[in-house]
């Protein structure tokens, strides 16, 4: 079976506080983009889950979130693991704040559910995904959604009006647990207007959403990395983006465009900065 695993962006991301279980309560608007990994799944009858990808440094065993999702699926269905070969063509940048690994896991859950004739609903699949990672429930559902709690409390929102997205993943990576730990001691200077962004979505107001985009993790980045993300955002805005922000715990910066030629110009300019640059669109 073949299935796509779309990347996500955070249109807004707010951290509300630390929870007794060590996680953080979040409020964020998530958005899927067309950029996606391509997965192929084949039963192998061995009882083992094997993963192969075009990126040699990614785990090829049960440490890979895609493999964990398959194991959680059989566990939830009360079945013995039948064994699976999962091939992933990674196109979404890794360690980028775009939920690439979580999206692969969600794609495996959707594919296995489809193979068995859709016995489970998307919310049931999201519940299984919760045990694999905080972003997996959203990735099961996709589209435009408000995510709260650990990320698993989902409210579908009116779709963001279709637009072009230019994104750039700089060549450095950020440790998600380290940035979450740091955010507890950072005085947040600015918070996103998530409520305003939800209202703008309801009104189909792309520019209204774009100008409210903000991610509190930007303030928790180390100084040099913060400066780099700001530079990328400035280029996006100079090229005509309606708004620019960072996704997840970064370091990917992205901008929303209603004009394709402006988006193409932004892609060209950002290519001079190094890193991985993509022009895609919302789905
Ligand atoms: O759930 P997931 O394994 O993707 O989370 C990775 C790490 O991110 C957690 O171990 C935790 O440090 C942090 N995290 C958090 N609060 C969340 C989601 C993730 O503190 N809501």
């Amino acid at each position: 079976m073949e299935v796509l695993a779309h990347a996500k962006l955070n249109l807004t991301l707010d951290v509300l506080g630390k929870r007794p279980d060590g996680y953080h309560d979040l409020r964020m608007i998530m958005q899927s983009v067309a950029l996606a990994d391509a997965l192929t799944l084949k039963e192998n009858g061995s009882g083992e889950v094997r993963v192969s990808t075009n990126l040699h440094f990614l785990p090829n065993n049960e440490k890979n979130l895609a493999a964990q999702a398959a194991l959680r699926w059989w566990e939830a269905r009360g079945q013995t693991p039948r064994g699976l070969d999962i091939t992933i063509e990674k196109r979404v940048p890794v360690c980028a704040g775009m939920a690439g690994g979580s999206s692969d896991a969600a794609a495996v859950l959707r594919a296995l559910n489809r193979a068995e004739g859709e016995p489970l609903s998307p919310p049931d699949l999201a519940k299984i995904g919760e045990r694999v990672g905080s972003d997996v429930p959203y990735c099961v559902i996709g589209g435009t959604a408000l995510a709260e709690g650990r990320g698993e409390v989902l409210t579908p929102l009116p779709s963001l009006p279709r637009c072009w997205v230019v994104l750039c993943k700089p060549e450095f990576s950020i440790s998600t647990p380290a940035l979450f730990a740091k955010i507890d001691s950072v005085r947040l200077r600015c918070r996103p207007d998530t409520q305003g962004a939800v209202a703008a979505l309801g009104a189909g107001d792309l520019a209204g959403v774009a100008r409210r985009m903000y991610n509190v993790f930007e303030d928790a980045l180390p100084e040099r990395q913060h400066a780099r993300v700001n530079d990328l955002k400035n280029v996006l805005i100079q090229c005509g983006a309606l708004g620019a922000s960072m996704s997840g715990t970064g370091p990917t910066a992205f901008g929303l465009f209603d004009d394709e030629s402006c988006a193409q110009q932004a892609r060209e300019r950002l290519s001079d900065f190094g890193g991985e640059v993509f022009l895609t669109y919302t789905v």
Side-chain angles (χ1 to χ4, degrees):
M1 258 191 317
E2 292 180 359
V3 62
L4 289 177
H6 291 279
K8 68 90 180 149
L9 296 172
N10 289 94
L11 303 180
T12 65
L13 196 169
D14 203 1
V15 179
L16 306 182
K18 193 164 180 193
R19 308 163 19 144
D21 64 4
Y23 282 89
H24 291 75
D25 273 319
L26 308 174
R27 185 186 295 132
M28 47 195 184
I29 301 179
M30 319 283 262
Q31 174 64 49
S32 312
V33 292
L35 177 65
D37 293 341
L39 285 79
T40 308
L41 283 71
K42 217 184 243 171
E43 275 201 22
N44 65 26
S46 74
E48 259 179 59
V49 184
R50 299 186 288 241
V51 183
S52 64
T53 80
N54 52 322
L55 298 179
H56 62 89
F57 54 85
L58 294 179
N60 59 6
N61 53 21
E62 287 158 14
K63 285 205 176 116
N64 193 301
L65 296 187
Q68 285 179 31
L71 294 170
R72 292 293 185 193
W73 163 266
W74 288 311
E75 189 182 281
R77 302 287 297 149
Q79 298 167 349
T80 359
R82 284 194 294 279
L84 200 61
D85 286 327
I86 305 174
T87 307
I88 311 177
E89 189 190 330
K90 292 294 296 180
R91 299 174 189 148
V92 177
V94 297
C95 298
M98 299 179 72
S102 302
S103 189
D104 293 344
V108 168
L109 292 175
R110 280 190 274 107
L112 292 175
N113 194 42
R114 201 194 323 143
E116 288 198 14
E118 312 272 355
L120 299 188
S121 65
D124 291 338
L125 286 183
K127 197 87 202 138
I128 301 175
E130 223 177 287
R131 305 184 58 196
V132 180
S134 303
D135 278 340
V136 180
Y138 162 73
C139 292
V140 166
I141 287 150
T144 310
L146 180 69
E148 295 173 286
R150 239 180 83 197
E152 85 289 18
V153 182
L154 297 167
T155 311
L157 294 172
S159 297
L160 182 70
R162 201 171 242 229
C163 63
W164 301 102
V165 179
V166 176
L167 57 95
C168 178
K169 152 78 174 58
E171 50 293 300
F172 57 85
S173 290
I174 304 282
S175 154
T176 294
L179 208 62
F180 266 108
K182 190 163 169 217
I183 197 108
D184 298 327
S185 58
V186 170
R187 209 169 62 82
L188 298 173
R189 283 177 295 148
C190 182
R191 312 298 284 258
D193 175 14
T194 301
Q195 220 35 54
V198 169
L201 283 168
D205 175 9
L206 174 62
V209 176
R211 82 170 163 264
R212 288 178 175 85
M213 295 197 305
Y214 186 66
N215 177 343
V216 294
F217 280 118
E218 290 180 41
D219 266 349
L221 289 175
E223 209 175 314
R224 278 177 59 185
Q225 297 167 345
H226 186 241
R228 181 63 183 282
V229 169
N230 261 340
D231 287 346
L232 298 173
K233 283 172 47 174
N234 286 336
V235 171
L236 288 158
I237 297 290
Q238 282 160 17
C239 290
L242 301 171
S245 191
M246 183 176 84
S247 190
T249 49
T252 300
F254 69 94
L256 304 186
F257 294 80
D258 57 2
D259 181 291
E260 188 180 3
S261 61
C262 289
Q264 275 166 349
Q265 193 202 344
R267 177 179 55 183
E268 276 158 37
R269 285 223 14 225
L270 287 178
S271 301
D272 299 338
F273 278 66
E276 296 171 73
V277 183
F278 296 89
L279 169 51
T280 181
Y281 53 90
T282 55
V283 289

